[in-house]
Amino acid sequence: MDLNMEEIIMGIIVHSGSARTLSMEAIQEAKKSNFERAYELIEEANNEFLEAHKVQTDMIQKEMNGEKTPIGLLMVHAQDHLMNALTVKDLAEEFIEIYKTRQK
């Protein structure tokens, strides 16, 4: 795997990690009844996912055009990181709604 590919894959990891962190922060804000801030953090997380998906989509398009992507441990880790972060964000959105309902 060349350095450029490693940098590209690290982009998925970095953006996914940021999205996960923002999602967890959103839960903490909702717990404190700061719902406006919680939604802002979810929006920031969505922006991070958008960046990760851009990288992923670019890699998929290249592969569809015959440029094979090496499947190494780093790539598997990046995809795992992305999927886990998406799950955390989905759960964060649910927690926000639960805290919001509980407050009423």
Side-chain angles (χ1 to χ4, degrees), residues 1 7 10-11 13 20 28 44 47 50 52 58 71 74 77 80 86-87 90 98:
M1 184 178 311
E7 290 173 359
M10 286 303 296
I13 293 170
R20 183 185 182 286
Q28 295 307 310
E44 289 178 40
N47 290 335
L50 186 62
D58 183 56
I71 308 289
L74 191 58
H77 178 66
D80 186 48
L86 283 166
T87 300
D90 289 344
I98 289 168

mmCIF file of all heavy atoms in Angstrom, residues 1 7 10-11 13 20 28 44 47 50 52 58 71 74 77 80 86-87 90 98:
data_model
loop_
_atom_site.group_PDB
_atom_site.id
_atom_site.type_symbol
_atom_site.label_atom_id
_atom_site.label_comp_id
_atom_site.label_asym_id
_atom_site.label_seq_id
_atom_site.Cartn_x
_atom_site.Cartn_y
_atom_site.Cartn_z
ATOM 1 N N MET A 1 0.850 -1.171 0.000
ATOM 2 C CA MET A 1 0.000 0.000 0.000
ATOM 3 C C MET A 1 0.897 1.235 0.000
ATOM 4 O O MET A 1 1.777 1.370 0.830
ATOM 5 C CB MET A 1 -0.892 -0.036 1.246
ATOM 6 C CG MET A 1 -1.884 1.071 1.300
ATOM 7 S SD MET A 1 -2.982 1.037 2.727
ATOM 8 C CE MET A 1 -3.567 -0.631 2.755
ATOM 9 N N GLU A 7 -2.725 7.680 3.421
ATOM 10 C CA GLU A 7 -3.251 8.996 3.789
ATOM 11 C C GLU A 7 -4.743 9.089 3.500
ATOM 12 O O GLU A 7 -5.504 9.653 4.293
ATOM 13 C CB GLU A 7 -2.500 10.095 3.043
ATOM 14 C CG GLU A 7 -1.076 10.288 3.508
ATOM 15 C CD GLU A 7 -0.299 11.265 2.652
ATOM 16 O OE1 GLU A 7 -0.850 11.800 1.659
ATOM 17 O OE2 GLU A 7 0.875 11.499 2.961
ATOM 18 N N MET A 10 -6.536 7.082 6.074
ATOM 19 C CA MET A 10 -6.513 7.794 7.352
ATOM 20 C C MET A 10 -7.567 8.907 7.378
ATOM 21 O O MET A 10 -8.102 9.235 8.438
ATOM 22 C CB MET A 10 -5.119 8.365 7.637
ATOM 23 C CG MET A 10 -4.100 7.315 8.041
ATOM 24 S SD MET A 10 -4.583 6.332 9.484
ATOM 25 C CE MET A 10 -4.632 7.593 10.745
ATOM 26 N N GLY A 11 -7.893 9.450 6.221
ATOM 27 C CA GLY A 11 -8.956 10.455 6.143
ATOM 28 C C GLY A 11 -10.283 9.887 6.615
ATOM 29 O O GLY A 11 -11.041 10.561 7.332
ATOM 30 N N ILE A 13 -10.640 7.410 8.718
ATOM 31 C CA ILE A 13 -10.509 7.180 10.162
ATOM 32 C C ILE A 13 -10.653 8.487 10.936
ATOM 33 O O ILE A 13 -11.384 8.559 11.930
ATOM 34 C CB ILE A 13 -9.170 6.479 10.479
ATOM 35 C CG1 ILE A 13 -9.177 5.065 9.899
ATOM 36 C CG2 ILE A 13 -8.901 6.457 11.985
ATOM 37 C CD1 ILE A 13 -7.836 4.366 9.927
ATOM 38 N N ARG A 20 -17.784 10.486 15.617
ATOM 39 C CA ARG A 20 -18.137 9.711 16.814
ATOM 40 C C ARG A 20 -18.027 10.583 18.057
ATOM 41 O O ARG A 20 -18.912 10.594 18.911
ATOM 42 C CB ARG A 20 -17.239 8.487 16.950
ATOM 43 C CG ARG A 20 -17.597 7.612 18.125
ATOM 44 C CD ARG A 20 -16.591 6.465 18.298
ATOM 45 N NE ARG A 20 -16.976 5.614 19.404
ATOM 46 C CZ ARG A 20 -16.849 5.935 20.698
ATOM 47 N NH1 ARG A 20 -16.363 7.105 21.037
ATOM 48 N NH2 ARG A 20 -17.219 5.085 21.631
ATOM 49 N N GLN A 28 -24.155 14.079 25.714
ATOM 50 C CA GLN A 28 -23.877 14.775 26.977
ATOM 51 C C GLN A 28 -24.632 16.104 27.051
ATOM 52 O O GLN A 28 -25.136 16.476 28.108
ATOM 53 C CB GLN A 28 -22.369 14.997 27.145
ATOM 54 C CG GLN A 28 -21.579 13.712 27.294
ATOM 55 C CD GLN A 28 -22.119 12.815 28.398
ATOM 56 O OE1 GLN A 28 -22.347 13.259 29.521
ATOM 57 N NE2 GLN A 28 -22.347 11.557 28.075
ATOM 58 N N GLU A 44 -22.714 18.811 13.038
ATOM 59 C CA GLU A 44 -21.265 18.771 12.824
ATOM 60 C C GLU A 44 -20.805 17.338 12.546
ATOM 61 O O GLU A 44 -19.944 17.107 11.679
ATOM 62 C CB GLU A 44 -20.527 19.331 14.043
ATOM 63 C CG GLU A 44 -20.667 20.828 14.221
ATOM 64 C CD GLU A 44 -19.955 21.328 15.467
ATOM 65 O OE1 GLU A 44 -18.840 20.850 15.765
ATOM 66 O OE2 GLU A 44 -20.525 22.206 16.146
ATOM 67 N N ASN A 47 -21.541 16.468 9.046
ATOM 68 C CA ASN A 47 -20.555 17.055 8.130
ATOM 69 C C ASN A 47 -19.281 16.217 8.084
ATOM 70 O O ASN A 47 -18.674 16.057 7.016
ATOM 71 C CB ASN A 47 -20.243 18.497 8.532
ATOM 72 C CG ASN A 47 -21.404 19.429 8.270
ATOM 73 O OD1 ASN A 47 -22.246 19.184 7.413
ATOM 74 N ND2 ASN A 47 -21.476 20.511 9.032
ATOM 75 N N LEU A 50 -19.975 13.239 6.000
ATOM 76 C CA LEU A 50 -19.977 13.617 4.589
ATOM 77 C C LEU A 50 -18.559 13.588 4.030
ATOM 78 O O LEU A 50 -18.324 13.067 2.928
ATOM 79 C CB LEU A 50 -20.588 15.012 4.429
ATOM 80 C CG LEU A 50 -20.792 15.509 3.008
ATOM 81 C CD1 LEU A 50 -21.756 14.612 2.249
ATOM 82 C CD2 LEU A 50 -21.307 16.936 3.026
ATOM 83 N N ALA A 52 -15.996 11.819 5.233
ATOM 84 C CA ALA A 52 -15.556 10.418 5.190
ATOM 85 C C ALA A 52 -16.170 9.702 3.990
ATOM 86 O O ALA A 52 -15.490 8.930 3.306
ATOM 87 C CB ALA A 52 -15.928 9.703 6.490
ATOM 88 N N ASP A 58 -14.957 8.153 -3.516
ATOM 89 C CA ASP A 58 -13.861 8.308 -4.473
ATOM 90 C C ASP A 58 -13.137 6.980 -4.676
ATOM 91 O O ASP A 58 -12.833 6.585 -5.803
ATOM 92 C CB ASP A 58 -12.888 9.386 -4.008
ATOM 93 C CG ASP A 58 -11.780 9.619 -5.015
ATOM 94 O OD1 ASP A 58 -12.102 9.919 -6.185
ATOM 95 O OD2 ASP A 58 -10.604 9.506 -4.625
ATOM 96 N N ILE A 71 -6.853 -4.298 0.098
ATOM 97 C CA ILE A 71 -7.628 -4.548 1.307
ATOM 98 C C ILE A 71 -6.666 -5.031 2.388
ATOM 99 O O ILE A 71 -6.415 -6.215 2.531
ATOM 100 C CB ILE A 71 -8.734 -5.607 1.072
ATOM 101 C CG1 ILE A 71 -9.580 -5.257 -0.138
ATOM 102 C CG2 ILE A 71 -9.567 -5.775 2.333
ATOM 103 C CD1 ILE A 71 -10.486 -4.074 0.033
ATOM 104 N N LEU A 74 -5.390 -1.765 7.594
ATOM 105 C CA LEU A 74 -5.726 -0.355 7.748
ATOM 106 C C LEU A 74 -7.073 -0.035 7.098
ATOM 107 O O LEU A 74 -7.894 0.691 7.668
ATOM 108 C CB LEU A 74 -4.616 0.524 7.158
ATOM 109 C CG LEU A 74 -4.698 2.008 7.458
ATOM 110 C CD1 LEU A 74 -4.698 2.268 8.967
ATOM 111 C CD2 LEU A 74 -3.536 2.742 6.801
ATOM 112 N N HIS A 77 -9.806 -1.502 9.240
ATOM 113 C CA HIS A 77 -9.948 -0.657 10.425
ATOM 114 C C HIS A 77 -10.743 0.606 10.096
ATOM 115 O O HIS A 77 -11.622 1.022 10.868
ATOM 116 C CB HIS A 77 -8.568 -0.295 10.976
ATOM 117 C CG HIS A 77 -8.609 0.607 12.155
ATOM 118 N ND1 HIS A 77 -9.126 0.227 13.377
ATOM 119 C CD2 HIS A 77 -8.202 1.895 12.303
ATOM 120 C CE1 HIS A 77 -9.038 1.232 14.225
ATOM 121 N NE2 HIS A 77 -8.476 2.254 13.602
ATOM 122 N N ASP A 80 -14.400 -0.255 9.654
ATOM 123 C CA ASP A 80 -14.951 -0.585 10.973
ATOM 124 C C ASP A 80 -15.208 0.694 11.768
ATOM 125 O O ASP A 80 -16.258 0.860 12.386
ATOM 126 C CB ASP A 80 -13.978 -1.500 11.711
ATOM 127 C CG ASP A 80 -14.526 -2.001 13.025
ATOM 128 O OD1 ASP A 80 -15.679 -2.475 13.055
ATOM 129 O OD2 ASP A 80 -13.796 -1.924 14.038
ATOM 130 N N LEU A 86 -21.114 5.615 12.718
ATOM 131 C CA LEU A 86 -22.491 5.783 12.242
ATOM 132 C C LEU A 86 -23.488 5.245 13.263
ATOM 133 O O LEU A 86 -24.525 5.863 13.520
ATOM 134 C CB LEU A 86 -22.681 5.080 10.895
ATOM 135 C CG LEU A 86 -22.121 5.805 9.686
ATOM 136 C CD1 LEU A 86 -22.060 4.872 8.479
ATOM 137 C CD2 LEU A 86 -22.961 7.030 9.364
ATOM 138 N N THR A 87 -23.172 4.119 13.853
ATOM 139 C CA THR A 87 -24.043 3.534 14.873
ATOM 140 C C THR A 87 -24.153 4.460 16.082
ATOM 141 O O THR A 87 -25.253 4.687 16.601
ATOM 142 C CB THR A 87 -23.518 2.151 15.302
ATOM 143 O OG1 THR A 87 -23.496 1.297 14.159
ATOM 144 C CG2 THR A 87 -24.388 1.539 16.380
ATOM 145 N N ASP A 90 -26.408 7.394 15.207
ATOM 146 C CA ASP A 90 -27.819 6.996 15.204
ATOM 147 C C ASP A 90 -28.352 6.873 16.631
ATOM 148 O O ASP A 90 -29.456 7.333 16.934
ATOM 149 C CB ASP A 90 -28.008 5.674 14.463
ATOM 150 C CG ASP A 90 -27.807 5.797 12.960
ATOM 151 O OD1 ASP A 90 -27.817 6.931 12.443
ATOM 152 O OD2 ASP A 90 -27.641 4.754 12.306
ATOM 153 N N ILE A 98 -35.040 10.914 23.469
ATOM 154 C CA ILE A 98 -35.478 10.364 24.769
ATOM 155 C C ILE A 98 -35.329 11.416 25.860
ATOM 156 O O ILE A 98 -36.250 11.646 26.648
ATOM 157 C CB ILE A 98 -34.681 9.088 25.124
ATOM 158 C CG1 ILE A 98 -35.101 7.945 24.200
ATOM 159 C CG2 ILE A 98 -34.886 8.715 26.594
ATOM 160 C CD1 ILE A 98 -34.191 6.732 24.270
#
